[in-house]
Amino acid sequence: MTPGQVLLSPGQTNEDIFIILAGTVSVHLGADGYRGKGMAIPIGQCIGEFSAIDGQPTSALVRAEDEATVLRIPQQVFWAEMVSLPGVARNMMISLVERTRLTNQLTLEAQREALELAQLRKELDLARDLQRTMLPAQGCLFPDHPALELACLMEPATTVAGDFFDAFFVDPDRLFVCIGDVSGHGLGAALFMARTVGLLRGVANTEATPDAVLRRLNDSLSEGNEAALFVTMVCGFLELSTGLFTYSNGGHCPPLLQRDGEIRPIPMPRGALLGVFPGRPYQSLTLTLGPGDLLMVYTDGVTEAENIAGEPFGVQGCQRLLDGAGQAPLDALIDGLRQSLRGFTSSNHLEDDATLLLLRRRPDTGVRGGS
C-alpha cells in the first residue's frame, strides 16, 4: 500500500480479513475520519474482522500512513483453514479486546473534548455579550439630537471582535468619537480592545485635544504589553455649535468626507499605532463639518474584504456606497454597506472584523462648511 491509500471506508461492504505485515496502517473513527484522530494497528494484528464476523458494513476509515504491506485473507479461507490453527483464535480475541478498549478510550476522549468545546463556546458567548455592553448599541445613536446624525456598525469575524467604536458627549456642545482596530482578531484582540475602551473613556473626559488623548492612551497601553498587541485608531472632538472637528490619528486609514457631491479622504495627521512604543508624539488637524456633510470612518476589515477572485472591496467600494446617497438616512447607508459587503464577498463570514461609523451634520444647523 502507498501512503494515504485507503483500505476500508465507512459504510463499505467487507468480507475479508487483513493482517498488517509491515508499515503503519491506522484506523480513523467517526464521520470525519479523514481529519479525525487515528489509532495505529500494530504489525501482526488484523483489521476488518468486525465486519467479517457480523456481516455489517465497516464503520471506520482504514488507511496506510506510509508504505505498508498487508495480507488479505478471504473470509471463507480464514474461517475454514486458519481459525483452527493453534493460537489463531486466542490471538484474534486478544486483538478484539485491545481494539475495543482503545475504541472506548478514544470515545471517552472525544466526549471530554466535546464537553470542553461546549463550555468554551458558552464562555465565548458570554464574552460577546459583555463586549456588547461595553460599546454603544449599533445602529443610530442620539436619534433625536437636533444637530447631528450618528450611526455605527460592527461585524466581527469571530464570536468576539478586536474592532471598537465609541461616541459620547464630554459636555453638551462637545462630542467625542473614535474608531479602532486591534491587531488580529478573536479572544486576545477582544481582551486588548476591552482594556483600550476602558482606558479611553477616562482619558477622553480629562484631555482637551485628541492628540493628548492618543499620547496618554499609547503610554498606558504600552505598559505590560507582553503580547505586543497594538491598536490603530482615529479619534476627535466635534463642537456642535460651530461644526469644528478636531481629530488625531494613530496609524489608521483615512476617513472619507462626502461634501457637495464630492467624496474624498480627509488629510491625516501623522501618528504611530498605539500600544507598542511609549512616548510617541501625536498631532491634530481640524476641519469644519457644514450642513449635510457626512464623515465615514471605518476599519480596514471593510476595505480589505475580498471577493472570490481575491479582489478587495477597497476605498472605491465605500465611495460607491456614498456616491449619490444624498441625505439618505444613516441606518439605510449602514444596511447598504452590510449588504454590499456580503454580496461582494459572496459570504456572511468576514475574514477580519469590519466596523463603520457615519457622522453627519444635520442640514438645518446653519453652519457653513470649510476645511
Side-chain angles (χ1 to χ4, degrees):
M1 296 182 66
T2 57
Q5 183 178 347
V6 174
L7 182 63
L8 296 171
S9 299
Q12 175 183 337
T13 300
N14 173 58
E15 296 181 350
D16 298 324
I17 294 174
F18 303 89
I19 299 178
I20 314 303
L21 301 181
T24 304
V25 176
S26 60
V27 176
H28 296 256
L29 305 175
D32 60 343
Y34 285 93
R35 301 184 300 275
K37 185 177 181 181
M39 56 182 177
I41 305 300
I43 293 175
Q45 289 197 7
C46 57
I47 194 71
E49 70 278 17
F50 282 13
S51 54
I53 290 173
D54 61 15
Q56 298 294 318
T58 57
S59 58
L61 174 78
V62 181
R63 73 179 179 203
E65 302 299 333
D66 52 28
E67 292 285 344
T69 303
V70 178
L71 175 64
R72 183 179 72 86
I73 304 174
Q75 183 187 51
Q76 297 86 347
V77 174
F78 182 82
W79 292 116
E81 301 181 20
M82 297 191 65
V83 77
S84 60
L85 295 176
V88 171
R90 182 176 182 276
N91 289 339
M92 185 175 181
M93 290 300 297
I94 292 174
S95 175
L96 288 172
V97 170
E98 290 178 347
R99 190 91 47 77
T100 300
R101 286 176 175 171
L102 184 54
T103 300
N104 290 340
Q105 178 183 346
L106 291 175
T107 301
L108 289 173
E109 290 178 358
Q111 291 176 341
R112 189 179 303 112
E113 290 175 357
L115 289 173
E116 291 174 353
L117 180 60
Q119 181 62 31
L120 177 59
R121 286 174 175 167
K122 287 178 62 177
E123 292 176 358
L124 285 174
D125 287 341
L126 177 60
R128 176 194 59 204
D129 293 341
L130 290 174
Q131 187 178 55
R132 286 175 176 172
T133 64
M134 296 185 66
L135 301 176
Q138 296 191 55
C140 289
L141 280 64
F142 321 117
D144 299 323
H145 199 284
L148 66 90
E149 298 175 79
L150 187 67
C152 301
L153 167 71
M154 186 170 73
E155 293 278 344
T158 56
T159 304
V160 289
D163 281 9
F164 62 91
F165 63 90
D166 210 347
F168 53 87
F169 287 93
V170 295
D171 63 51
D173 189 52
R174 207 157 178 256
L175 177 74
F176 177 80
V177 295
C178 70
I179 194 169
D181 183 0
V182 175
S183 55
H185 51 80
L187 190 56
L191 291 173
F192 198 74
M193 174 279 245
R195 183 185 177 200
T196 302
V197 171
L199 290 168
L200 179 62
R201 290 178 178 171
V203 174
N205 276 291
T206 56
E207 295 291 345
T209 60
D211 56 292
V213 170
L214 292 188
R215 185 167 55 252
R216 276 188 56 189
L217 183 62
N218 175 59
D219 291 345
S220 297
L221 291 175
S222 299
E223 295 179 5
N225 185 11
E226 303 295 337
L229 292 171
F230 62 86
V231 57
T232 67
M233 192 171 73
V234 172
C235 70
F237 293 96
L238 174 66
E239 294 180 4
L240 302 181
S241 58
T242 64
L244 184 67
F245 183 58
T246 306
Y247 61 98
S248 189
N249 173 43
H252 203 78
C253 39
L256 296 175
L257 176 65
Q258 180 195 46
R259 171 181 291 166
D260 298 329
E262 181 183 0
I263 304 164
R264 58 182 174 85
I266 66 173
M268 291 293 277
R270 297 180 61 182
L273 49 84
L274 291 81
V276 181
F277 304 108
R280 289 301 176 96
Y282 294 88
Q283 303 173 7
S284 291
L285 290 179
T286 62
L287 64 85
T288 301
L289 297 179
D293 286 352
L294 172 63
L295 194 65
M296 172 188 277
V297 195
Y298 55 89
T299 62
D300 59 12
V302 175
T303 53
E304 294 179 3
E306 295 183 348
N307 60 16
I308 57 176
E311 300 167 335
F313 188 73
V315 175
Q316 296 80 6
C318 296
Q319 290 173 324
R320 286 192 297 270
L321 177 73
L322 293 179
D323 188 28
Q327 297 301 311
L330 296 190
D331 54 354
L333 293 181
I334 289 283
D335 289 339
L337 178 73
R338 182 188 284 111
Q339 296 304 320
S340 294
L341 279 177
R342 290 176 178 173
F344 184 80
T345 61
S346 302
S347 173
N348 287 329
H349 173 74
L350 298 175
E351 295 299 321
D352 193 9
D353 303 329
T355 303
L356 176 71
L357 185 147
L358 297 175
L359 173 63
R360 176 193 281 152
R361 296 295 310 287
R362 290 194 184 274
D364 57 356
T365 57
V367 179
R368 300 181 63 183
S371 62

